[in-house]
């Protein structure tokens, strides 16, 4: 799906511009009756404060909604990056 590729590239660009070290995985776009739903997991450094994570999520949602109006719902799960 070309839009899925565009969303993936757009999200990666947003995260690359972030002042935090953040990655994502498990990006899914689901067609629902009310529009498309976007799901993905954010992987953040454990040192990032909760308020900063909240602001990052808000900013990502706003940017994605502006760039892809067909996406009605965005769900992000946040998980800490673990050292191997």
């Amino acid at each position: 799906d070309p839009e899925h590729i565009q969303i993936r590239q757009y999200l990666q660009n947003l995260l690359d511009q972030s002042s935090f070290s953040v990655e994502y995985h498990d990006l899914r776009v689901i067609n629902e009756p009310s529009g498309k739903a976007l799901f993905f997991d954010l992987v953040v450094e454990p040192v990032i404060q909760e308020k900063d994570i909240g602001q990052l999520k808000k900013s990502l949602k706003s940017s994605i909604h502006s760039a892809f109006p067909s996406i009605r719902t965005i769900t992000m799960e946040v998980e800490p990056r673990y050292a191997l």
Side-chain angles (χ1 to χ4, degrees):
D1 177 13
E3 187 179 43
H4 188 272
I5 294 168
Q6 290 176 335
I7 294 168
R8 193 166 18 106
Q9 291 171 338
Y10 186 80
L11 178 57
Q12 186 61 57
N13 287 338
L14 289 175
L15 295 178
D16 288 346
Q17 295 171 19
S18 172
S19 58
F20 303 109
S21 177
V22 182
E23 298 173 357
Y24 79 94
H25 63 91
D26 292 340
L27 179 78
R28 299 169 311 282
V29 179
I30 309 292
N31 289 316
E32 297 182 338
S34 62
K36 294 183 180 181
L38 177 66
F39 301 88
F40 61 94
D41 298 337
L42 281 178
V43 181
V44 300
E45 293 291 337
V47 296
I48 299 177
Q49 296 182 11
E50 199 67 35
K51 68 177 180 69
D52 293 326
I53 292 171
Q55 182 59 37
L56 175 64
K57 288 175 67 175
K58 183 178 177 180
S59 175
L60 288 173
K61 283 184 179 185
S62 176
S63 295
I64 292 168
H65 278 303
S66 293
F68 299 94
S70 64
I71 296 175
R72 298 287 180 208
T73 307
I74 299 173
T75 303
M76 290 176 249
E77 295 294 328
V78 178
E79 57 189 50
R81 176 177 290 133
Y82 297 104
L84 296 177

